[in-house]
Amino acid sequence: MHANSRILYELYAAPLIKPGMKVLEIGPDKLPTTLQDISQKPGIEWHVLGLDEYPVPYAILAKSEYEYPIADETYDVVVAANVLEHVRRPWVWMRELARVVRKGGLVMTVNPVSWPYHEAPIDCWRAFPEGMQALFDEVGLITVVNRCEAHEPIRSKNDTPGRSITAYGWKHQLMDRMLGLIGYPQERSHDIVSVGRRPDA
């Protein structure tokens, strides 16, 4: 997970995860996951779900991104970071996230806005706040957080939306710094963090 996504999750989503909650993370980046490391609080039960098998007992294997082998209202929180852009039909996917979260529970997503095409194995979408609001409305989630921001350090007067500098190797980073000194535009990641609450009734 790149720096700006992590910062947005730390600022707006992680504080909403409380001790003792049961959390499902869709499409983990590693094990234990970056979001899990950030969200460490006493008694959190953290499960992961993906289309690939993971060598841990708390992992769930799904045959499809639209159908999970999970009962309705199982989790207090469902989180997915840098996943939505790789889902062909996010409106169907969001319905499944909302289905497995309990009434009063939270669905949290962090997604890139300014990143160029990156297949894994496909890359379909960039969603702005209005797009995330439309997805939440479609599945009946009440918006708690919906912010598109850039929090990585400003490296020049001519920053431009793009990738995180951490996405590149050291040679590119060095060249980027040198070009920045003469005013060449520097890429800075813009991402969106969205949190929706499933209504109590």
Side-chain angles (χ1 to χ4, degrees):
M1 176 184 296
H2 62 275
N4 196 55
S5 285
R6 186 172 59 251
I7 292 166
L8 287 175
Y9 179 80
E10 288 173 346
L11 284 174
Y12 298 112
L16 301 174
I17 297 178
K18 305 300 181 194
M21 284 185 158
K22 187 174 182 181
V23 179
L24 175 66
E25 181 175 350
I26 311 297
D29 61 345
K30 62 185 183 75
L31 297 172
T33 77
T34 300
L35 301 184
Q36 187 177 7
D37 287 341
I38 295 168
S39 307
Q40 286 187 10
K41 294 185 178 95
I44 290 180
E45 185 178 342
W46 197 282
H47 295 177
V48 296
L49 179 143
L51 300 177
D52 300 313
E53 290 193 46
Y54 302 105
V56 290
Y58 53 84
I60 302 165
L61 177 64
K63 293 181 180 176
S64 161
E65 63 262 43
Y66 311 116
E67 294 180 40
Y68 301 156
I70 299 170
D72 294 355
E73 301 180 33
T74 298
Y75 291 93
D76 299 301
V77 178
V78 176
V79 299
N82 303 313
V83 175
L84 180 140
E85 69 269 25
H86 303 295
V87 176
R88 288 178 177 89
R89 297 183 293 160
W91 51 93
V92 177
W93 177 73
M94 188 63 70
R95 188 170 307 283
E96 188 68 352
L97 272 58
R99 179 186 70 79
V100 301
V101 76
R102 67 168 177 80
K103 290 180 175 70
L106 301 170
V107 172
M108 304 175 169
T109 64
V110 182
N111 310 301
V113 172
S114 63
W115 280 62
Y117 179 80
H118 57 283
E119 58 186 347
I122 58 169
D123 189 357
C124 300
W125 303 99
R126 300 294 179 267
F128 289 94
E130 292 85 354
M132 291 307 300
Q133 184 65 58
L135 288 174
F136 282 178
D137 290 345
E138 179 72 17
V139 301
L141 295 174
I142 299 164
T143 301
V144 176
V145 174
N146 197 12
R147 303 183 67 101
C148 180
E149 298 176 353
H151 285 277
E152 293 179 326
I154 296 173
R155 299 188 320 277
S156 81
K157 294 179 182 177
N158 297 314
D159 279 357
T160 186
R163 295 182 219 204
S164 170
I165 190 62
T166 60
Y168 298 107
W170 70 269
K171 290 179 184 177
H172 183 103
Q173 291 183 36
L174 178 62
M175 181 62 71
D176 190 66
R177 286 195 181 112
M178 290 169 51
L179 291 171
L181 293 174
I182 61 171
Y184 191 81
Q186 307 294 287
E187 285 186 90
R188 191 166 179 234
S189 180
H190 290 67
D191 302 275
I192 182 169
V193 58
S194 303
V195 179
R197 183 175 59 82
R198 184 169 171 183
D200 294 321

